[in-house]
């Protein structure tokens, strides 16, 4: 873990985005995103469809290369290495190493359908980290217990509800012992009655001190669990603040307009 560089190079921030730009062909998707996430902070991100929320998360997770600006995660410049004041592009293998510090949970669970819950959670530690099987198994059982699925370890994804599958996906991400967890609308594909269990797991994770960025439509979660709330529109951060203040008294007209439609 890069604890030393984290404190030294970036004021102790877990994520530091400065003027982040991302373009797809001629489409400017991120037009200068500035954000800071402290260790242990839970940042919730809201905004209209197409505003760039998922794209930003994908940049943080090194899945997209940014076109301008600076993005540091856990003390590392995403996609680059700094040496003697110059930037060098990282090789794919080095990018993969950095990505291991970050867990990501998507709207769709993306579990391996032919593997049990237990095998899904063990997969990355064994294959990527070379954790001995017995140890990976023990950790996976503990994680499945933590997300409330101790009795489903031998079930296949098709035998689990959407909410249970999503909790396996969270356990799977945690198995790599990430420094940062990214959630992209983790409950929006779920039936309403299954949302609560997943949010509860995320809340516990937050209480345990995990640093999290959560793109969500769950304003109740943002209000209760979030340390900060970011409203994105048109590829920029329009407004940011304490979730309770932003939701109760949005300052920017675009935030007000958006919230009046979703609340
Ligand atoms: N790989 C890609 N190639 C081209 N355009 C893309 C790509 N990924 C995203 N976009 C475009 O970037 C814009 C922002 O997309 P993004 O998925 O980040 O929005 P979002 O805020 O997550 O929206 P939603 O709430 O619908 O998930 C959209 O116009 C989208 O079509
Ligand atoms: Mg999205």
């Amino acid at each position: 873990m890069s604890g030393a560089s984290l404190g030294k190079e970036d004021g102790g921030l877990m994520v530091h985005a400065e003027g982040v730009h991302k373009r797809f062909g001629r489409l400017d998707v991120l037009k200068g995103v500035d954000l800071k996430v402290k260790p242990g902070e839970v940042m919730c991100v809201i905004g209209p469809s197409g505003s760039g929320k998922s794209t930003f998360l994908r940049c943080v997770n090194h899945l997209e290369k940014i076109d301008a600006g600076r993005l540091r995660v856990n003390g590392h410049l995403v996609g680059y290495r700094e040496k003697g004041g110059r930037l060098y592009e990282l090789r794919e293998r080095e990018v993969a190493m950095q990505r291991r510090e970050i867990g990501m949970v998507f709207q769709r669970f993306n579990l391996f359908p032919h593997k049990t819950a237990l095998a899904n959670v063990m997969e990355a530690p064994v294959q990527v980290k070379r954790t001995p099987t017995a140890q990976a198994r023990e950790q996976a059982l503990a994680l499945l217990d933590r997300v409330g699925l101790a009795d489903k370890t031998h079930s296949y994804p098709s035998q689990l509800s959407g909410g249970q599958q999503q909790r396996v996906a969270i356990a799977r991400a945690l198995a790599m012992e990430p420094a940062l967890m990214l959630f992209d609308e983790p409950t929006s594909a779920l039936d309403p009655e299954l949302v609560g269990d997943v949010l509860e797991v995320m809340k516990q994770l937050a209480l345990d001190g995990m640093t999290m960025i959560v793109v969500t439509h769950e304003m109740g979660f943002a209000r209760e669990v979030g340390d900060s709330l970011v409203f994105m529109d048109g590829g920029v951060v329009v407004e940011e603040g304490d979730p309770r203040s932003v939701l109760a008294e949005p300052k920017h007209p675009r935030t007000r307009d958006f919230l009046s439609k979703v609340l």
Side-chain angles (χ1 to χ4, degrees), residues 49-50 52-55 107 184-185 215:
S49 183
K53 306 180 298 294
S54 296
T55 302
Q107 185 172 2
D184 194 355
E185 302 195 32
V215 174

Side-chain angles (χ1 to χ4, degrees), residues 50 75 81 87 97 104 118 144 152 192-193 223 231 249-250:
R81 178 158 22 95
L87 294 184
M97 284 298 286
M104 185 145 178
L118 181 63
L144 285 167
K152 298 287 183 189
E193 73 271 22
R223 193 182 287 116
F231 172 64
E249 297 168 53

Side-chain angles (χ1 to χ4, degrees), residues 7 11 34 54 60 78 83 112 169 192 194 202 205 210 220 227 258 262:
D34 296 302
S54 296
V60 171
V78 172
K83 208 175 165 195
F112 299 114
L194 303 177
M202 291 169 62
L205 196 55
M210 179 61 76
D227 296 303
F258 175 77
V262 299

Side-chain angles (χ1 to χ4, degrees), residues 147-201:
V147 300
L149 293 174
D151 56 338
K152 298 287 183 189
T153 52
H154 297 297
S155 301
Y156 288 87
S158 62
Q159 301 168 320
L160 298 171
S161 74
Q164 290 167 339
Q165 289 182 56
Q166 193 62 308
R167 285 183 279 148
V168 175
I170 293 172
R172 189 177 58 171
L174 292 175
M176 289 297 281
E177 302 181 308
L180 170 69
M181 285 284 286
L182 308 175
F183 292 88
D184 194 355
E185 302 195 32
T187 59
S188 53
L190 299 178
D191 291 337
E193 73 271 22
L194 303 177
V195 168
D197 286 342
V198 174
L199 292 180
E200 185 55 35
V201 164

